Amino acid sequence: MRHSVYSSMELDNFRKQVRDALEHLYDTAYLETHPLLLQFPNQPADSRLTRAQKLRGLLKEAIEALRPPEGSPAGSPEWRSYLALRYRYVQGLSHGEVESELGISLRQLQRELHKGLDAVATALWEKRVALPASAPDETQALERELNEWHISRQNCAVQTLVDDTLWMCQPLFAERGIRAQNDLPARLAPVYVDATLTRQALFHVLRVLARAPGTLTLDAREESKETHLVLQSETPRMFEREANWRLAQVICQQLGIQLAARQLAEGRTEIALTLPRASQPRVLMIDDNAALHTLFERYLTPQHYELLHAYNGQTALQLAATRPDVITLDVMMPNVDGWQVLRALTSDPATARIPVVICSVLKEPQLAFALGARAYLKKPVDRNELATTLARLLSSADRAAAESPTMPADNSASRS
């Protein structure tokens, strides 16, 4: 009985990984270290792009395998499910565009996608390579804990994160004859991360690199919006199936941190963590759905946004007073609804110029614009539409036109 329960939990986690990979099907950086890769054999290790292409190909093949045979009725459920998957993930259409193409409601589309995703996951499940019995248990326990973890991002000094983690690794380094060489630049801009989870991810990466004695070096290089923390050691790159690597991947995926590894000359291995720099554009998210806050974190953190969270109208107005760069606003909230919040925001000179994006299941774009919103996104919110809308609102052209908002031409705003 315990085995069957465990298998069910493992399969459920596998389905979630399949869906997540499909949501990022054309995001090469995201796919190159996706945990789903660990389930399949013979993944190329010397090319990130090849690894991403391999996983992308597996997912596309699994979708194409659902294509009904020639002669099947065009309106059959099999065709709807297959086309829903193909339009949504392979062609990258929005939910609204897929609804229009298939002539079905959002509720029915969600059912078709759920059915199709279940079929894809089941097909891939049969192809996977089973991991050692003890490994998934630890990974799944961490995933369950992370799902309940309240991510608390703040400005953190890179040197402090490294020093704290190296201290944790002292006993292991002493046991294995490893010398840590800290080559971090003297002055590094702070990064915007959850300190606890980032230290844990770095800790597991250091344990991965501590497999062989010798010198382990830590360095960093800065770009305009991110800091690359780079670690090297004598460890050969044969660790993708190790528990510590999988745990580091799970944590980084939850945080939206890119984690990449490559083999260097003379058998050395390099692992890089890409951390978002502090002082990024701030987005105030107002929604009573905690799960959606987690989803937006995963959508926006890799895009270098700082998220402020409000779960009710009162907190929303308090945080709006800190002058975020843009606000996303749900309409259906208890006690103080989104329209009341919008009225308060637009009536206050201190917040009236902050762009507001209405995110709602209600199909009221015209009303949203009439009441002062700058954009409208229909739930479930599409990741690409969200990123495009925020980038547009934060551009200098939109700020210059802030006093005369017009309805944007993109699909997210014009859908009704």
Side-chain angles (χ1 to χ4, degrees):
M1 176 63 69
R2 292 182 61 183
H3 175 74
S4 63
V5 171
Y6 173 78
S7 298
S8 175
M9 291 172 57
E10 187 179 5
L11 178 56
D12 183 60
N13 180 63
F14 184 81
R15 287 192 188 98
K16 292 177 181 177
Q17 290 185 357
V18 169
R19 177 168 186 168
D20 181 73
L22 283 170
E23 292 285 355
H24 299 84
L25 190 61
Y26 297 104
D27 188 339
T28 298
Y30 194 87
L31 289 187
E32 69 185 16
T33 56
H34 199 281
L36 194 60
L37 282 165
L38 301 173
Q39 302 281 357
F40 298 95
N42 304 320
Q43 295 297 327
D46 58 345
S47 169
R48 302 180 193 175
L49 183 60
T50 302
R51 287 166 60 84
Q53 286 180 327
K54 178 66 175 179
L55 181 54
R56 188 179 298 125
L58 284 170
L59 293 165
K60 286 185 174 181
E61 289 170 8
I63 290 176
E64 198 58 32
L66 300 179
R67 184 184 182 93
E70 293 295 331
S72 300
S76 65
E78 291 77 14
W79 269 110
R80 281 200 306 271
S81 183
Y82 162 73
L83 290 174
L85 288 173
R86 183 171 179 80
Y87 287 149
R88 180 71 185 98
Y89 298 114
V90 179
Q91 296 186 17
L93 301 185
S94 68
H95 283 87
E97 290 169 330
V98 179
E99 292 174 44
S100 178
E101 287 286 340
L102 297 180
I104 59 179
S105 67
L106 174 60
R107 185 181 296 274
Q108 186 175 2
L109 173 59
Q110 290 173 332
R111 285 198 299 265
E112 298 296 345
L113 287 174
H114 179 80
K115 183 170 62 175
L117 284 167
D118 191 59
V120 168
T122 300
L124 290 175
W125 178 259
E126 300 300 326
K127 294 183 178 181
R128 87 199 195 290
V129 172
L131 298 174
S134 60
D137 192 29
E138 186 176 5
T139 304
Q140 289 180 350
L142 175 62
E143 288 177 336
R144 289 194 297 271
E145 184 170 349
L146 289 177
N147 287 335
E148 299 176 359
W149 182 274
H150 176 66
I151 295 178
S152 177
R153 290 184 171 87
Q154 55 189 307
N155 292 353
C156 300
V158 177
Q159 185 68 66
T160 301
L161 291 171
V162 169
D163 287 344
D164 289 347
T165 313
L166 287 176
W167 174 81
M168 295 166 59
C169 292
Q170 281 181 337
L172 177 65
F173 288 177
E175 176 187 340
R176 299 188 180 179
I178 293 171
R179 183 175 72 89
Q181 180 175 313
N182 189 338
D183 294 331
L184 295 182
R187 292 185 178 181
L188 282 173
V191 292
Y192 187 67
V193 296
D194 183 304
T196 299
L197 292 185
T198 304
R199 282 194 298 267
Q200 285 300 316
L202 182 57
F203 174 71
H204 289 297
V205 168
L206 288 170
R207 293 184 70 177
V208 165
L209 293 175
R211 293 171 64 243
T215 300
L216 189 155
T217 63
L218 299 95
D219 198 356
R221 63 179 186 271
E222 293 184 313
E223 294 183 3
S224 60
K225 293 184 177 181
E226 55 198 21
T227 296
H228 303 280
L229 182 59
V230 182
L231 304 91
Q232 293 184 12
S233 82
E234 306 294 335
T235 299
R237 190 182 169 190
M238 300 290 291
F239 50 77
E240 276 89 349
R241 297 175 65 80
E242 287 189 9
N244 280 305
W245 180 247
R246 289 194 297 275
L247 294 172
Q249 284 184 309
V250 168
I251 296 172
C252 287
Q253 184 181 15
Q254 185 78 4
L255 287 173
I257 292 175
Q258 181 181 337
L259 178 66
R262 64 187 181 114
Q263 189 75 50
L264 303 177
E266 301 177 357
R268 288 180 66 84
T269 292
E270 177 183 281
I271 297 178
L273 295 90
T274 300
L275 310 175
R277 294 273 295 275
S279 302
Q280 305 297 342
R282 296 191 307 153
V283 178
L284 170 57
M285 180 183 178
I286 307 171
D287 199 298
D288 62 327
N289 186 337
L292 196 59
H293 282 263
T294 301
L295 183 65
F296 271 39
E297 282 274 4
R298 294 187 62 186
Y299 283 174
L300 297 180
T301 298
Q303 304 294 326
H304 308 293
Y305 289 101
E306 175 185 344
L307 239 65
L308 307 177
H309 300 276
Y311 298 87
N312 56 65
Q314 182 178 1
T315 304
L317 296 177
Q318 292 172 350
L319 290 176
T322 67
R323 304 294 298 276
D325 296 284
V326 66
I327 295 172
T328 67
L329 176 60
D330 181 31
V331 172
M332 299 295 291
M333 295 189 299
N335 300 323
V336 180
D337 66 29
W339 301 126
Q340 292 174 288
V341 173
L342 182 61
R343 180 180 183 180
L345 291 172
T346 56
S347 300
D348 186 344
T351 57
R353 293 176 63 87
I354 302 174
V356 176
V357 183
I358 294 294
C359 301
S360 177
V361 296
L362 299 177
K363 297 182 179 181
E364 296 285 0
Q366 300 289 348
L367 178 60
F369 288 111
L371 294 178
R374 303 278 172 77
Y376 168 87
L377 294 173
K378 191 177 73 172
K379 289 184 177 180
V381 175
D382 179 82
R383 172 175 170 265
N384 292 329
E385 288 180 343
L386 176 62
T388 300
T389 300
L390 293 181
R392 174 174 56 77
L393 291 176
L394 290 170
S395 69
S396 57
D398 276 276
R399 286 191 174 278
E403 294 187 7
S404 56
T406 57
M407 186 179 298
D410 58 76
N411 291 334
S412 60
S414 60
R415 194 181 308 144
S416 59

